[in-house]
Amino acid sequence: MTQGCAAPAQTAHIPATVDLANEAVIQGTVTRDGNPVSSAYARLLDSTGEFTGEVVTGDEGIFRFFAAPGDWTIRVLAAGGVSVDSTVTAALGEVAALEVSI
């Protein structure tokens, strides 16, 4: 029996079931020395710094959040004590793209 809930696979392709006209998407790639970083944690923090969600990057270093429109912080945590914060603005009907180099 599986416990907890798993996030969908973090790939570069947005699932066909997603209606971008009604979604605000934040999607990014985590890299180190130009190479994708898998198994890093991407955290979504709201405008007050409150934790909202977390996903693990996929094999291509990809992460994705479906968020309310507005300003957000993405905190990437990786091996070796790496922590990098990036700000991004999400808007309905758009994919806010983010590149995080650690």
Side-chain angles (χ1 to χ4, degrees), residues 28-32 35-38 40 57 60-63 76 100-102:
T29 305
V30 179
T31 59
R32 176 181 284 140
N35 298 307
V37 177
S38 62
T57 58
E60 300 170 331
I62 304 285
F63 64 86
V76 172
V100 181
S101 179
I102 60 171

Side-chain angles (χ1 to χ4, degrees), residues 6 16 22 26 43 64 67 69 91 95:
N22 296 308
I26 300 169
R43 289 186 177 169
R64 180 181 307 113
V95 177

Side-chain angles (χ1 to χ4, degrees), residues 80-97:
V82 173
S83 178
V84 175
D85 285 1
S86 302
T87 57
V88 63
T89 299
L92 281 179
E94 295 182 14
V95 177

Side-chain angles (χ1 to χ4, degrees), residues 42-64:
R43 289 186 177 169
L44 181 67
L45 309 175
D46 69 13
S47 61
T48 67
E50 286 292 316
F51 175 87
T52 303
E54 181 176 82
V55 295
V56 177
T57 58
D59 292 340
E60 300 170 331
I62 304 285
F63 64 86
R64 180 181 307 113

